[in-house]
Amino acid sequence: MVVSELSEQDVNRIFRALADPTRRDIVRRTLVAAISVSQLADCYQMSFAAVQKHVAVLEDARLVTKESRGRERMVRGNLDRIRQAQRLLDRFEDMWRARTDRLDNLLAKSDPAPSAL
Amino acid sequence: MVVSELSEQDVNRIFRALADPTRRDIVRRTLVAAISVSQLADCYQMSFAAVQKHVAVLEDARLVTKESRGRERMVRGNLDRIRQAQRLLDRFEDMWRARTDRLDNLLAKSDPAPSAL
DNA sequence: TTATCGTACAACCAAATGGTTGTATCAGAG
DNA sequence: CTCTGATACAACCATTTGGTTGTACGATAA
């Protein structure tokens, strides 16, 4: 189990990184198989440097990792990070459920003291 | 079932909206119970207009909805949108699984024609 | 060694972001 | 009607973002 608590900054970076189509595509591709930065750059119409920056953003968010192989840097998608993001969204679900639980309580108990309603 | 396909723009907006701590907090609060914009503004140290902008970003991403009630606008979190975001992340999982499936295939069949490897 | 490929990084630029203040509008209380 | 509270929205500003080009450097192929 990954206990590593995510800081607000971490969460910012994860969602920010996912908020760009090119970066999402890079994550998808690198989850399927590790690819070098230049191979990635060939996939898109922008410059090599631009792709490099996108990879850097993803790396900063730990959504991908880089690994030297000869003169290339292989980029590999990090599924764990995706799963952490999913758990973040789960927590929103929890908030919502807390609300309905509270309503259920109210109805079940039929408590005659509805606070500030 | 919600068939509504999300455009790339939609996805951009959803993740972008979630990439800010204040906005995530607004989503959490409004999932628990509908709150007016001014009540929300009281929760944070920034100006009313700033909070209003955050709500607008969330509304644009359809992560919250606004509903007039008297002279107030009640903000309500939209759980469906959170779930759509989760399904987006599921698809990354799918990509990864496709990769392992392919590897499994390779091993199981021990096919002597590994394409371009 | 030399040329080349893959990468890193700096400098620059336009557009978007996240905040501010100020002004206008609209609904409800007196 | 008038005052006030809640909202909307424009204008402005600093910083970040997403792209560019250019330069430098390490690893490999010839």
Side-chain angles (χ1 to χ4, degrees):
Chain A
M1 175 184 168
V2 186
V3 188
S4 71
E5 263 322 300
L6 293 169
S7 71
E8 287 286 72
Q9 270 277 0
D10 290 333
V11 183
N12 294 351
R13 278 193 266 256
I14 292 173
F15 285 127
R16 188 89 198 60
L18 290 173
D20 180 280
T22 303
R23 287 196 291 259
R24 287 194 298 273
D25 196 68
I26 291 177
V27 171
R28 279 186 222 108
R29 286 177 192 272
T30 56
L31 277 171
V32 173
I35 323 179
S36 75
V37 181
S38 53
Q39 278 177 309
L40 270 176
D42 290 339
C43 301
Y44 311 103
Q45 287 190 310
M46 65 194 72
S47 69
F48 175 83
V51 173
Q52 210 176 12
K53 278 196 187 181
H54 281 306
V55 172
V57 170
L58 289 168
E59 197 183 9
D60 200 48
R62 297 186 198 276
L63 281 162
V64 305
T65 57
K66 274 196 290 188
E67 183 185 340
S68 290
R69 208 176 85 181
R71 61 180 161 184
E72 300 173 305
R73 303 296 165 89
M74 305 305 287
V75 183
R76 189 181 308 273
N78 178 12
L79 189 63
D80 281 344
R81 207 59 164 178
I82 298 286
R83 290 188 175 143
Q84 286 187 302
Q86 281 191 308
R87 266 184 279 149
L88 289 171
L89 295 181
D90 285 340
R91 294 220 248 153
F92 287 101
E93 288 251 9
D94 294 343
M95 296 304 291
W96 185 79
R97 210 168 311 120
R99 157 183 164 267
T100 50
D101 287 354
R102 216 169 304 164
L103 289 178
D104 286 353
N105 251 338
L106 227 63
L107 292 177
K109 289 188 153 186
S110 68
D111 193 335
S115 60
L117 276 177
Chain B
M1 175 183 167
V2 185
V3 188
S4 72
E5 262 323 300
L6 293 169
S7 71
E8 288 285 72
Q9 270 277 0
D10 291 332
V11 183
N12 294 351
R13 278 193 266 256
I14 292 173
F15 285 126
R16 188 86 199 63
L18 290 173
D20 180 280
T22 303
R23 288 196 290 259
R24 287 194 297 274
D25 196 68
I26 291 176
V27 171
R28 279 185 223 108
R29 286 177 191 272
T30 57
L31 276 171
V32 173
I35 323 179
S36 74
V37 182
S38 54
Q39 278 177 308
L40 271 176
D42 290 338
C43 302
Y44 312 103
Q45 288 190 310
M46 66 194 73
S47 69
F48 174 84
V51 174
Q52 211 177 11
K53 278 195 188 182
H54 281 306
V55 172
V57 170
L58 289 168
E59 197 183 10
D60 200 47
R62 297 186 196 276
L63 281 161
V64 305
T65 57
K66 273 195 291 188
E67 183 185 340
S68 289
R69 207 175 86 181
R71 60 180 161 184
E72 301 173 306
R73 302 297 166 88
M74 304 305 287
V75 183
R76 188 182 308 274
N78 178 11
L79 189 63
D80 281 344
R81 207 60 165 177
I82 298 286
R83 290 189 175 143
Q84 285 187 303
Q86 281 189 306
R87 267 184 279 150
L88 289 171
L89 295 182
D90 285 340
R91 293 219 249 155
F92 287 102
E93 286 252 10
D94 294 343
M95 296 304 292
W96 184 80
R97 210 169 311 121
R99 159 183 163 267
T100 50
D101 287 354
R102 214 169 306 163
L103 290 178
D104 286 353
N105 251 338
L106 227 62
L107 293 177
K109 290 188 149 185
S110 68
D111 192 336
S115 60
L117 276 176

